[in-house]
Amino acid sequence: RNEKYFLILECDSGHLNGNLISCCRYRIVDKYYKARDSSTRIILLIHLPRKYPTSNFVSFQSQPWQCCHIDDITESSISVANLVINNKPLSEVFYNEDQEYEEVSHVSSGSLEELYSEISSPPSIGTLVPQIGSNMCRRLHYCIHDALSKIKAVQSTTQRLEILKRLITEKPILPLQDQNSFYAVIVKLIKKILQEQEKSTVRSAWIIDEARNIKNLQDAGTLRNALIRRFDNILAPVLSEIIAFVDQYCNLDLLESTGPMSDLWLHIFRSDELCQTKLCQIASTSKAKHQGDVVNKESQKSQFPFSWIIYSYVKEIMDATGATKNYVDMFHDGALEQILKETPLDCVKDLLPKYIHDFIQLTQASIQITQHYELLQTSICLMIQETMPNLDEVTLLEGIITVHQQYKEKQKLFEWFSKLISQMPRILDGIKNNQSPHIEDLVETAVNEAVHNTSLSEPLSQGTTAALRTWIHKQYEIHQIINSILDHMHHRESVGRIIQKWQWICTTRMFVENVVLKNEKAMVFFAKNLQMYSEKEDELQTGLAFKKVAILLNNVESCLESGKVQVLPEQKYAIHNSCWTFFIEVLSEHCFGLEYNFPDRDLVSRLLDSVFPLSSIKRSEPVIHKFLQYHKEKSPQIQSIMVKMLLRYELTDVEDFLSNIITRIDEDKLSACMQQKDVASLMIEYFKDQLAIKSFGEDESGNWNRFTEILVQGHRNFMISKTKPIAISPDYLNAVAQMSFSIHQLALLINSHYIYTDLEDDADIKYFVDTAEQLLSEHSTFTGFLTRFVVRHFGVSLLLETSELNNFKWILPLHELKQESYHFIDPAAIYNPVYEGLRAALSSASTGDIDISELQQESVNLKQIDIVPLALAFYERVRLSHVSGLPSKVLNQEAIMEFVNFVEHCKLFTDYDEIVKTVRALIYNNQCTGFDLMQARKPETPKERLVINEQDLIRTIIVHSVLAVLTNRRDKLIKVLFALLTAPETLKDTLIPAMALNIPRRVSDGEEFPKCSSGHRHSSIMVGQLCPHCGNMIHESIKKMPAVQKPVPKPIASSGYIPVQKGDISSLIGHLSSASYSIIRIIIHSCLLWGECNEKDVMTLTNEELADDIPSYFWEQVKCDLDSLCRATGRSIDEVALITHLVLREITQKDHGIQKSLKNLDKLTSQEDRVLWEREFDDDYIKPVLEDVDSSLQHMLQILTVRDHNKLFAAVYETNTPSNGTNFLWRFYPQVSLDHFLFNTINLQLRIEHPVIYMYLTELQSLKATQFIPDIVQLQKLIQEIISQEYDESTKDVIENMTFTQFTEKNPNDTEKFNELLSSLQQAWTLSRHNLFTYDRLDVPEEYILDEIRDDIQMIYLIPTTYGKGVITTALVDFLVNIHNGFIIQSREFVEESLNRKWLWPVRKVQMMNVEPLHLVDCDKKFLTLLYSHCTRTFRSGSCQIEYDVAGLEKELVLNYVMGKPTITSVSGIPKLVWQKTVQKALTIRGVQKNVPQKPLTQQAK
């Protein structure tokens, strides 16, 4: 037993007896462990054939067995030496600099004792495997062919192979002697790459891995061959990457040359900074595999070693440095200088042109035309010669830097030239004869050839729709290029003729686009007309070209009028409008569109003759005048457009034209469309628009300085202009515009309430306010305009509140204007003269002894329509009694009882008990009992007085609305409102007017979130896992392309009362204007409030809980409706209140016997009934007031008496100011703003005709919020990563209850970043939180939707999940992504369908985790500028109307700010936290036993 001996078991055909061997091994191990003190060592000898198709043999891979492969018994004749590897990594096997061969440290003698000892203590595996060489770099030669085969698109593979075999020899002399040779450099580089790879992977186990791989052993025959194959398989891809890198542009060919070229090649190749480090980065991945294409085309061969590397190196440094005169200093002591300084100076003249050749090739890679390269190479060479005339004294580095510098200065010209050549390569034939190779001359010649090319200038040679669309396509491809070139080179005299020719081509394009293609049935006729005028190119000056346009359009119009072209009436109307659109576009783009050049002055004079004609003077351009006669209804518009276009230029250039216009209007007052004051006001408003465009285009931080400059300049110009004899001159109007613009900004500042903080905190604003006080307070014209502006735009309360501040007491210098300011105006005075007599009678009756006889006498002749003014007279007298502090104004109890007695016996009231009850409540001042806001009361403090003023305003509207409805209850349109007031429960199942429609959002329906079988939604990271809610498997969602719903779903009206979230404008979208809906809702909410306070069952109208205090809810709704009306009309709350009273007067005094429709509309049971009711109500009562608000207000002012308003009102509306002089220049007009545009255009018709603008307006807040998507996703990802690393499910409660501030304190290095990201989330949440109430892609309970996200928010809300409180951020991101995708797809549809330019916008996608701000739509800051560009003002008799070109606005918005943006994919991949869970093996096994049916193993299986 104590003797040491071996038991050797031998098995033949091991590949067939794998199961037997496994059983034997199991039995041997079992017996071995039972005989614990056994000294026996067991050896299994298993014979395996070199090749066998199948095998069930498994080598032994664990203790107590030691597995060894015994390879060939006889010595191999392979060239590699038989040396021991000792399990070294590949990099050491590849090349060892210290010695060529390694000696075997130990060789067994073969004795039994020694063998026993070795087996008891096994040596390293390296001593038991086949022995191969340590300097395997010799294998490089044999890997060349394999490496070349891995490179794509290699040209002349045979030639590459021969070059590389010469450079990488078969039998190198080792160790390497010449360290600078190509072979030595590449060997060291590969060793370095292998070492980098070994850092990330376990390469030391490569021998064991290969020994275990049965398939590789079978294929190789022996383990030695398998190891060599493994080595080659690693080496070949690395060598492939190196070859692919160094042989770009046939760079290896240059190494074959002799002299400085090859030396320079090797210098660059040896450089760590230029080559070696980059190659290591490229090839050091664990599986190096070349993926790119090698540029080895004959036309793109390099002539300078590694030119693309030098180009990138120099360009990167110069771009980072910015503009500087001496770029050479930037490269001092750099890698490039160290390499190039060894190049002899006498070689620079030969090498620099070669670099220029490669430089042009690299910068113009998109165009592979030899002739194009040669032209640009010659141009740069000429630029270098002019800059550096003596190249013999210039270093190669200086020459290369000069090439880059010269190109950088003219880069735009080079790029435009190349783009033009790529679009029209044929023009090279005309350029090659160009005498001057300067880049400016080349570009000019190229543009000249392009505009005279027949494919560009003759669109109608075929006359088919397809041909015209192809021509339009070509036009748009080069339109931007040629425009950019002409804008840049307009100063050259020789370019003028090209500009004229190009303008005519663009004019042709616009005619085809606006007239021909939009009316394709008459296309042939239009094409022939255009072709006739296109052939006459003898005169192309702007004026004559425009004249040809007018002749062309006259011909089209006359043919339509005469019936020469047979079209339907609607087609005739469409063509008529198309011609006008084309005319305006030509006028704006080619007559006044060149910012660098003032239009032809002769043309402007002739246009003025036609647009502002004098009846006594013969027209100088009858052709244009004739065309305008076809569009007489457009005269105010074209006159306004002419003024607007002239004001694009400096005042000094257009002053004579503007003066001419003013003179013409003054001389021809009878035939002119506008009066002189209208033209003057128009000019002022356009002057202000230009100031706004220039001011708001700057950084916001510099605006206040800009406003101050405008104020000072305007004041100086105003004082100078006043001294001139001409009262109304352009410079005077400009000064007025500057002053009024500055005052406008001051009023906006006042309204922003910034002035209530410490002005010292902002020096720019403080300086602006101080300057305004200094310059404005000295002139009553300025303070008067500021007063009017604030009151008419923001309300009298704001003015009075501001004037109490020390810095703004100068606004109201007259103390008497502030007295009695609580009575700004008596709105009931709109019923004068009836109301005036009733009020006087009530005043007389309540003064001294109570005597109502005068009141009774006054009421004898009253009619039914006078019920409302009589009731309002009582209301106003009682209100005065409660708000006035004068004893003479207070009503005693006797007077009140007399008033009540009069009401109860007055025949006008007794006709209906509800009216008696209402008026009695007004007299007792207890209307809406229990709701204090409806009772008049006296203010105790000045601050409270302002609040009371607003309450009085709202209360009066409510009272007036109720009285108007009660009085006119028998009218078919008022019956619905009467039911809301007296019996709201009867309307529960009917439609209520002006309620919000259910308008489906046009958002994308992209991929869904993964779901479990129970429907719980999860992030894509949870696919394949169990749902934490129900335990079911989560399955991957079906991915589909985002798409917009087609056809567009129709809006649906629901029954009952529909509440809306604050800020939601959906209630203002319908078939009427938003102003009309606001007025209707004011009346409806007034009725509902009154009914709720008088115990009517209002809550039956809705299934939703509105609020705890229902009257307060409806009161707030009236305020919201008034605010919407303010925004729609651009007027103050005081004025919109007057507008509402005027509408109520229309209801009261309308002849209700005239009915448009015979249909009964007391209950609206269908959507058609509701639309009919709304349109008839709007036509009868609202439009007469809103169609011309200024006229309505002026009419109201005419019937007011001195008692109806206070002095401040008189000053604001100038009731006592004569209308002569220049006071009309300081009038208040509606201003262009986003609100004005939104509330005056938003309706269902806009949704159909201009869906992009509709979606932009309705989703404006959400589109703003999309800018924060990248930051929110980054915040989610950071939170997810930190929590996943530091927390698990056991600490879940700790992190969820932690505040965000506490969380950031635990990560102090990222605190600043976290705060920035949270700020983005807060802004996005503020903009879009209300949308989550109707969001349905994830389950978001309403109680989770916080009012705001604060810094101390609990982390449970920020941890990204698809359920629980963390769903709010996930839902917000998902909603914003879908809004973005919907807007992109909607815009792409517009480009494809409306503009017929599908080719302009290729489909692009970006994954959500890769979204950047440039991928998102960001035109919020530019949209106001677009509005200014696409609006037209018209003045008639002092009234101003603003019209918007919505079609042009939509086109420019899409083409300039949206087109090209991608949709966002992988939405379900939103970061989501998956809690780490500690899983016990026993629990896992128990779970498997539970879910997988268990059966006992058979005896055979055991």
Side-chain angles (χ1 to χ4, degrees), residues 576 580 627-636 673 1436:
H576 184 72
W580 178 257
F627 172 74
L628 295 178
Q629 292 305 302
Y630 286 111
H631 300 269
K632 289 182 179 180
E633 75 282 0
K634 302 287 189 180
S635 292
C673 298
R1436 285 286 185 88

Side-chain angles (χ1 to χ4, degrees), residues 1049-1319:
K1050 292 183 178 180
I1052 300 173
S1054 301
S1055 60
Y1057 178 81
I1058 311 298
V1060 294
Q1061 295 293 327
K1062 188 175 182 179
D1064 188 356
I1065 64 170
S1066 60
S1067 60
L1068 304 179
I1069 303 175
H1071 297 87
L1072 308 182
S1073 68
S1074 57
S1076 297
Y1077 278 121
S1078 297
I1079 293 174
I1080 295 174
R1081 289 175 65 85
I1082 288 172
I1083 300 173
I1084 288 176
H1085 284 126
S1086 298
C1087 294
L1088 291 175
L1089 186 152
W1090 193 276
E1092 175 65 25
C1093 292
N1094 287 276
E1095 300 180 351
K1096 306 300 180 183
D1097 196 3
V1098 173
M1099 291 306 297
T1100 58
L1101 291 175
T1102 179
N1103 296 323
E1104 299 184 34
E1105 184 176 347
L1106 300 180
D1108 295 335
D1109 187 354
I1110 304 301
S1112 295
Y1113 170 82
F1114 288 123
W1115 177 276
E1116 290 300 321
Q1117 288 300 308
V1118 174
K1119 288 180 63 176
C1120 290
D1121 297 332
L1122 284 169
D1123 179 67
S1124 297
L1125 189 56
C1126 290
R1127 297 170 68 184
T1129 59
R1131 298 172 185 275
S1132 68
I1133 188 172
D1134 302 288
E1135 285 201 6
V1136 298
L1138 293 177
I1139 291 171
T1140 306
H1141 287 297
L1142 290 173
V1143 171
L1144 293 171
R1145 186 187 67 172
E1146 290 291 323
I1147 295 175
T1148 301
Q1149 297 186 341
K1150 195 78 173 180
D1151 187 354
H1152 300 288
I1154 302 176
Q1155 305 290 348
K1156 286 187 178 181
S1157 173
L1158 299 177
K1159 189 171 184 178
N1160 187 13
L1161 297 177
D1162 55 344
K1163 286 188 177 182
L1164 310 179
T1165 56
S1166 68
Q1167 199 156 330
E1168 291 74 17
D1169 289 345
R1170 171 180 158 170
V1171 172
L1172 180 61
W1173 187 97
E1174 290 175 347
R1175 286 178 171 167
E1176 289 199 12
F1177 190 91
D1178 187 48
D1179 292 341
D1180 287 353
Y1181 307 129
I1182 301 179
K1183 278 186 178 179
V1185 176
L1186 289 186
E1187 280 183 343
D1188 194 344
V1189 176
D1190 289 318
S1191 297
S1192 299
L1193 292 177
Q1194 288 298 323
H1195 177 69
M1196 181 199 71
L1197 293 176
Q1198 293 173 3
I1199 62 176
L1200 295 181
T1201 65
V1202 177
R1203 291 187 59 188
D1204 298 326
H1205 57 78
N1206 64 8
K1207 293 181 179 180
L1208 178 58
F1209 180 91
V1212 170
Y1213 288 93
E1214 302 175 299
T1215 56
N1216 300 323
T1217 304
S1219 58
N1220 55 1
T1222 59
N1223 291 336
F1224 66 89
L1225 298 177
W1226 300 92
R1227 294 287 169 82
F1228 169 80
Y1229 299 108
Q1231 302 297 306
V1232 175
S1233 65
L1234 181 59
D1235 275 351
H1236 186 271
F1237 175 70
L1238 169 66
F1239 286 93
N1240 282 276
T1241 57
I1242 194 75
N1243 53 42
L1244 293 179
Q1245 193 65 24
L1246 182 73
R1247 181 172 181 255
I1248 298 172
E1249 295 179 354
H1250 304 287
V1252 175
I1253 293 295
Y1254 174 84
M1255 186 172 183
Y1256 180 81
L1257 294 177
T1258 54
E1259 305 293 352
L1260 181 60
Q1261 300 300 315
S1262 298
L1263 286 172
K1264 288 181 182 179
T1266 59
Q1267 290 296 306
F1268 303 107
I1269 290 177
D1271 285 353
I1272 300 174
V1273 173
Q1274 187 180 1
L1275 177 64
Q1276 291 177 318
K1277 189 175 180 179
L1278 285 174
I1279 292 175
Q1280 175 199 26
E1281 291 175 351
I1282 293 175
I1283 295 179
S1284 299
Q1285 294 171 3
E1286 302 179 7
Y1287 299 88
D1288 56 25
E1289 194 169 31
S1290 63
T1291 56
K1292 179 180 177 182
D1293 293 339
V1294 176
I1295 183 63
E1296 286 183 342
N1297 294 321
M1298 189 182 296
T1299 66
F1300 179 78
T1301 304
Q1302 294 170 338
F1303 179 77
T1304 55
E1305 289 174 354
K1306 291 182 176 293
N1307 300 274
N1309 294 334
D1310 298 324
T1311 300
E1312 184 177 351
K1313 185 175 184 180
F1314 269 119
N1315 290 333
E1316 291 176 357
L1317 297 178
L1318 182 68
S1319 175

Side-chain angles (χ1 to χ4, degrees), residues 482-491 499 594-596:
I482 295 182
N483 272 353
S484 300
I485 294 173
L486 295 178
D487 287 348
H488 184 78
M489 303 180 64
H490 67 272
H491 58 278
I499 292 176
L594 302 178
E595 296 182 0
Y596 53 79

Side-chain angles (χ1 to χ4, degrees), residues 560 567-578 634:
L560 290 174
V567 293
L568 297 174
E570 57 270 18
Q571 291 176 325
K572 179 180 177 181
Y573 178 75
I575 295 172
H576 184 72
N577 285 337
S578 297
K634 302 287 189 180

Side-chain angles (χ1 to χ4, degrees), residues 1358-1456:
L1358 300 182
I1359 298 173
T1361 62
T1362 52
Y1363 53 87
K1365 295 181 179 179
V1367 73
I1368 62 172
T1369 57
T1370 306
L1372 177 65
V1373 172
D1374 180 59
F1375 170 78
L1376 295 179
V1377 167
N1378 281 278
I1379 286 292
H1380 168 83
N1381 288 344
F1383 188 64
I1384 295 300
I1385 297 168
Q1386 180 69 79
S1387 300
R1388 186 184 292 124
E1389 284 184 4
F1390 170 77
V1391 172
E1392 294 176 357
E1393 298 174 5
S1394 299
L1395 301 182
N1396 296 310
R1397 302 178 198 166
K1398 185 175 182 179
W1399 39 267
L1400 270 181
W1401 193 342
V1403 177
R1404 293 180 58 212
K1405 304 176 187 175
V1406 62
Q1407 290 192 353
M1408 191 190 66
M1409 299 303 295
N1410 299 326
V1411 173
E1412 297 179 6
L1414 58 89
H1415 297 137
L1416 304 168
V1417 178
D1418 182 18
C1419 56
D1420 178 44
K1421 296 180 181 178
K1422 295 291 184 182
F1423 193 76
L1424 184 60
T1425 302
L1426 291 179
L1427 287 182
Y1428 282 120
S1429 301
H1430 293 276
C1431 74
T1432 304
R1433 286 183 172 85
T1434 54
F1435 279 79
R1436 285 286 185 88
S1437 302
S1439 177
C1440 175
Q1441 297 292 330
I1442 301 178
E1443 298 178 5
Y1444 295 97
D1445 176 18
V1446 183
L1449 177 65
E1450 184 176 44
K1451 179 180 176 181
E1452 187 170 353
L1453 173 67
V1454 172
L1455 294 183
N1456 292 345

